[in-house]
Amino acid sequence: MVTEMSRNESLLGQSGRGSTATRPQIMFSAVAASQDRILVKCAFVDDSGRRLGGDCDQETADIIKRFDSTVIGTNKTYVLGDRCWHYYIDANTGRWYICVAAREMGRRIPLGFLESLWQQFEARQFSTAQLQLPGLQRTQEEFGKEMQTLMEKFNDPSADRLTSMMEKVRNVNDNLMESLDKLLERGENISSLVHRTEELSASSNSFRRAARDMRNRAWWQEKKSIAIFILVLLCAIMLILFLVCGITFSQCRSE
């Protein structure tokens, strides 16, 4: 699935994840055979049983007729008020994959949802009978549950790795600021911190030099031991030869 910005996407700006009380979510999704025929649809139901996209059904049926049907194989976004309609048209089947999300949610997560929705629906390989009445009713029931599960996955904050990493960065930043505040409360100043840093750096350099010297001494000690061993071995061999052959090796020559 290729991603391309549409004219309306300039209104989106950044992903807009501020510290809001309610996290922006995907509230409605649908798969359509064409601009005037929706096959399956699902309004997201949250943990409290509230249908977030309950009013998106008819609205989506009307708005989809305004979409550009020539952008096949490309992600597009249509902005209306505080909501965004993201859609993708499959180049092979001509099917439309649509989701409605809060404008503050940006594009990354909704487009990731569309790609997963496209993959799951195409993987099911529904027959023509299953996509027409009366078989379409059962397809709606079965795949509608999968759409709800998929929206739950992408609406879960823990599923968004980037958001999770940003939250960790914020936590680290908060902890750092808290530590700095405590240092200031204890009367620590920048000069003393710099002095301590220099001391730590000097200690680190001293430790590094000591480690290097120790490594060099160990290396030389090892080589010295090997040399002594070889010398002792040679002396032992010479001593044996002297005992057997004499100092002048005359006994060995006479034999």
Side-chain angles (χ1 to χ4, degrees), residues 54-66:
D55 60 338
C56 294
D57 190 349
Q58 187 58 44
E59 193 173 7
T60 299
D62 294 336
I63 290 179
I64 190 177
K65 298 175 183 178
R66 309 181 195 174

Side-chain angles (χ1 to χ4, degrees), residues 104-121:
E104 294 82 3
M105 198 173 197
R107 300 183 75 245
R108 185 172 54 83
I109 297 177
L111 294 186
F113 168 81
L114 279 186
E115 183 170 3
S116 296
L117 178 64
W118 166 70
Q119 290 175 348
Q120 287 191 206
F121 191 86

Side-chain angles (χ1 to χ4, degrees), residues 96-108:
W96 294 57
Y97 295 87
I98 309 157
C99 73
V100 184
R103 183 174 178 177
E104 294 82 3
M105 198 173 197
R107 300 183 75 245
R108 185 172 54 83

